[in-house]
C-alpha cells in the first residue's frame, strides 16, 4: 500500500498536511463523507497521481469557518493529475494519461448529465443534486490537495490532454481548467457577453480575473473590474481591463466616468456571500451588496452571471437570515429591468475542452492572468494564509514537484 498525504481543514483558519489513506475503488468513511456513500463501489474510477491542485476561494470560505465543514475534511477540488491505475469498468482512459478533473463530479448517466447539467448530477450526492471533491455537503468525495486522489466515472469525467509533453509545458494554464477558467467563462457567457459588449466583473480574485479574460475572449469591447484590493485591481489593469475601486463609492459613478453612461450591458458576480459594502460601508460585510449592485448597474434587458458562491449554511453570517442563505435581494428591481440571472455551479464539462484548445493554441495565457504561483504540499498552510490576506496570486500546489518550480522554502 502506497502512502498518501493531504491538506486537511482543522478548524477556523487552520489547515494541516496529514497522512491519509491511499485511495481505493471504494468510498471509505471519513470526515464529511455522507453515510449513504460509505462503501460505495467505484469500478468506473481511476486513481491519479496529482500533478497540480489549486487553492480556491471556495476552499477559503471553509477555512475561514464560514461553512459547516467538519474538522479533518480533506480539501481540494481543482485537480490535474496522471492516471496511475484504473478500475475494471474503465474502457478509454489509460494509465499514463495526463488529465484535467472537473471539480463537479458527474455520473454521465442521469437526466441532468445527459442534458449537460453536470454541476447538478443526480447520482453522486445522496443529499441533493451536485457534488465536488473535498467540499462540505457535497457527498464526501475525498479532496485532491493530496498526493493521490480517486476520480469516479473516469471515462466521463476526465479530460485527457492530447500530448503529454505539451501538457506539462503549459501546466500552469491547463491546471485552471478544473474550475476557475470554466467558472469565469460560465459567468461571462451566461451574462450574455458577446462582440462589443460592455461588461462589469465584481471581484478581482482569480475567478473574477478568469471572468474578465473570458469576456475578452468572447469579444467584449470594455471589461471593467471592481474590487477593494489595489493589488488585485492592478493585476486586472495589467491584462487590459478598466477598474473601479468600490471602497471609493458606488461603482456606477466610476463606470460612468469610463463609459459615459452609468451602466453596462452585462455583469458578473465573482464575489459571493462574503461580499462587503461599497463606499463608506466597505469595511463591513454586507452579503447582498454585489447582487444588488449588479442589478442596479446593468442595463434593462441585460444578463447577470453569478458564479460567486452562495451557501445554505453560514455560521459566521452577519445575521440569522444570512446564516441560512437568505439575503435582502432587490428582486423587484431585477424584475422591472427584465434582467436574466444564472447561478449555481459551473458545468465544467460544457466548456473545458474548448478552453483547453484555446490554451494549447496560444489564444490565452490564463496562468499569467491570475498570477499562478507554485508551492509544495507542505507549503499549503502558508499559501492559505497568504491567499486569505488578499495577495494577487493563484496558488498552485505541486505535491511531487512535477513542474520543477517548487522552492525549498
Amino acid at each position: 500500500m502506497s502512502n498518501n498525504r493531504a491538506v486537511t481543514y482543522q478548524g477556523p483558519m487552520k489547515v494541516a498536511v496529514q497522512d491519509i489513506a491511499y485511495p481505493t475503488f471504494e468510498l471509505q468513511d471519513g470526515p464529511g463523507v455522507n453515510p449513504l456513500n460509505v462503501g460505495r463501489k467505484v469500478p468506473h474510477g481511476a486513481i491519479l497521481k496529482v500533478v497540480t491542485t489549486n487553492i480556491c476561494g471556495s476552499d477559503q470560505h471553509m477555512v475561514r469557518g464560514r461553512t459547516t465543514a467538519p474538522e479533518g475534511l480533506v480539501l481540494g477540488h481543482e485537480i490535474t493529475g496522471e492516471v496511475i491505475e484504473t478500475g475494471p469498468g474503465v474502457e478509454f482512459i489509460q494509465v499514463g494519461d495526463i488529465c484535467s478533473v472537473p471539480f463537479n463530479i458527474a455520473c454521465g448517466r442521469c437526466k441532468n448529465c445527459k442534458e449537460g447539467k453536470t454541476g447538478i448530477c443526480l447520482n453522486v450526492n445522496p443529499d441533493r443534486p451536485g457534488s465536488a471533491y473535498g467540499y462540505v455537503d457535497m457527498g464526501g468525495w475525498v479532496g485532491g490537495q493530496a498526493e493521490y486522489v480517486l476520480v469516479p466515472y473516469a471515462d466521463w469525467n476526465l479530460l485527457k490532454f492530447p500530448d503529454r509533453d505539451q501538457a506539462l509545458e503549459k501546466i500552469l494554464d491547463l491546471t485552471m481548467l478544473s474550475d476557475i477558467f470554466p467558472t469565469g467563462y460560465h459567468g461571462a457567457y451566461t451574462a450574455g457577453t458577446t462582440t462589443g459588449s460592455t461588461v462589469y466583473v465584481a471581484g478581482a480574485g482569480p475567478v473574477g480575473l478568469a471572468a474578465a479574460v473570458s469576456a475578452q475572449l468572447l469579444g467584449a469591447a470594455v471589461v471593467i473590474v471592481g474590487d477593494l484590493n489595489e493589488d488585485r485591481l492592478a493585476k486586472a489593469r495589467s491584462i487590459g481591463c478598466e477598474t473601479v475601486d468600490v471602497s471609493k463609492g458606488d461603482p456606477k459613478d466610476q463606470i460612468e466616468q469610463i463609459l459615459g453612461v452609468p451602466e453596462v450591458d452585462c455583469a458578473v458576480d465573482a464575489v459571493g456571500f462574503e461580499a462587503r459594502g461599497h463606499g463608506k460601508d466597505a469595511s463591513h460585510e454586507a452579503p447582498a451588496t454585489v447582487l444588488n449592485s449588479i442589478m442596479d448597474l446593468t442595463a434593462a434587458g441585460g444578463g447577470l452571471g453569478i458564479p460567486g458562491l452562495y451557501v445554505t449554511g453560514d455560521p459566521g453570517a452577519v445575521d440569522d437570515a444570512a446564516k441560512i442563505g437568505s439575503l435582502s435581494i432587490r428582486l423587484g428591481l431585477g424584475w422591472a429591468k427584465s434582467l436574466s440571472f444564472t447561478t449555481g455551479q459551473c458545468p465544467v464539462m460544457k466548456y473545458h475542452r474548448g478552453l483547453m484548445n484555446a490554451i494549447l493554441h496560444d489564444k490565452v495565457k490564463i496562468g499569467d492572468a491570475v498570477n499562478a504561483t507554485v508551492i509544495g504540499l507542505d507549503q499549503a498552510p502558508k499559501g492559505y494564509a497568504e491567499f486569505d490576506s488578499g495577495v494577487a496570486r493563484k496558488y498552485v500546489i505541486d505535491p511531487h514537484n512535477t513542474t520543477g518550480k517548487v522552492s525549498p522554502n
Side-chain angles (χ1 to χ4, degrees):
M1 180 67 69
S2 299
N3 296 322
N4 195 15
R5 300 167 68 238
V7 182
T8 62
Y9 171 65
Q10 295 295 319
M13 300 311 299
K14 296 178 183 178
V15 299
V17 179
Q18 294 184 311
D19 292 332
I20 66 167
Y22 186 82
T24 65
F25 295 107
E26 179 178 317
L27 194 56
Q28 306 295 318
D29 197 6
V33 178
N34 189 299
L36 296 176
N37 260 351
V38 175
R40 183 170 182 162
K41 307 295 185 184
V42 191
H44 41 68
I47 296 173
L48 272 61
K49 178 182 179 180
V50 175
V51 174
T52 54
T53 175
N54 315 325
I55 297 176
C56 180
S58 298
D59 298 320
Q60 199 72 54
H61 292 308
M62 289 189 291
V63 171
R64 288 180 184 137
R66 296 300 298 268
T67 71
T68 56
E71 293 184 14
L73 183 75
V74 178
L75 298 167
H77 56 270
E78 300 190 12
I79 308 163
T80 305
E82 177 184 359
V83 176
I84 59 173
E85 187 177 354
T86 59
V90 176
E91 185 175 359
F92 303 111
I93 290 294
Q94 298 179 348
V95 170
D97 289 344
I98 304 289
C99 302
S100 179
V101 184
F103 79 88
N104 30 38
I105 302 167
C107 72
R109 297 153 166 79
C110 71
K111 173 182 180 292
N112 285 349
C113 283
K114 289 180 178 180
E115 292 177 352
K117 302 172 185 175
T118 54
I120 44 174
C121 173
L122 299 174
N123 289 331
V124 288
N125 183 355
D127 281 339
R128 64 187 186 200
S131 188
Y133 303 88
Y135 211 84
V136 60
D137 296 333
M138 287 291 186
W141 299 91
V142 178
Q145 286 175 13
E147 293 175 326
Y148 302 94
V149 67
L150 171 69
V151 174
Y153 304 103
D155 281 329
W156 170 251
N157 282 306
L158 292 178
L159 174 66
K160 175 186 172 181
F161 299 138
D163 181 87
R164 179 188 180 89
D165 291 339
Q166 183 187 35
L168 293 175
E169 178 186 349
K170 295 179 178 291
I171 194 64
L172 295 188
D173 296 306
L174 295 171
T175 190
M176 305 304 165
L177 290 173
S178 59
D179 183 354
I180 68 161
F181 196 10
T183 293
Y185 190 92
H186 181 61
Y189 179 82
T190 57
T193 306
T194 188
T195 305
S197 296
T198 56
V199 184
Y200 176 70
V201 178
V207 170
L209 293 174
V213 169
S214 299
Q216 292 169 339
L217 277 176
L218 288 164
V222 183
V223 180
I224 304 170
V225 179
D227 204 290
L228 302 160
N229 183 314
E230 176 51 36
D231 288 342
R232 290 183 167 186
L233 290 173
K235 188 60 184 175
R237 289 191 291 272
S238 77
I239 60 172
C241 299
E242 301 286 345
T243 60
V244 301
D245 183 342
V246 299
S247 71
K248 296 180 179 179
D250 191 330
K252 283 179 62 176
D253 298 332
Q254 296 173 69
I255 288 171
E256 185 171 21
Q257 294 173 15
I258 296 167
L259 297 178
V261 292
E263 62 183 19
V264 292
D265 297 319
C266 47
V268 179
D269 173 4
V271 178
F273 74 103
E274 288 192 69
R276 294 188 174 272
H278 294 161
K280 62 182 176 56
D281 297 321
S283 61
H284 304 294
E285 187 170 310
T289 298
V290 170
L291 290 172
N292 287 327
S293 173
I294 61 175
M295 281 194 283
D296 189 33
L297 58 79
T298 300
L304 310 179
I306 309 172
L309 177 67
Y310 289 88
V311 296
T312 56
D314 175 10
V318 294
D319 55 45
D320 289 340
K323 287 180 179 179
I324 58 170
S326 181
L327 307 180
S328 297
I329 305 299
R330 295 186 63 192
L331 187 60
L333 175 63
W335 188 93
K337 296 176 74 173
S338 294
L339 300 176
S340 63
F341 301 71
T342 302
T343 66
Q345 283 190 38
C346 165
V348 171
M349 294 176 71
K350 181 175 181 178
Y351 308 109
H352 66 173
R353 186 173 297 277
L355 295 176
M356 175 189 73
N357 286 334
I359 290 169
L360 295 179
H361 291 280
D362 297 319
K363 298 302 181 184
V364 62
K365 294 187 179 297
I366 186 66
D368 288 345
V370 299
N371 197 14
T373 303
V374 180
I375 60 176
L377 191 67
D378 288 311
Q379 298 165 317
K382 181 180 178 183
Y384 268 98
E386 292 181 354
F387 187 45
D388 190 66
S389 74
V391 295
R393 294 178 181 177
K394 174 69 172 178
Y395 284 101
V396 176
I397 300 171
D398 178 353
H400 303 279
N401 198 18
T402 307
T403 64
K405 297 179 182 294
V406 177
S407 73
N409 299 317

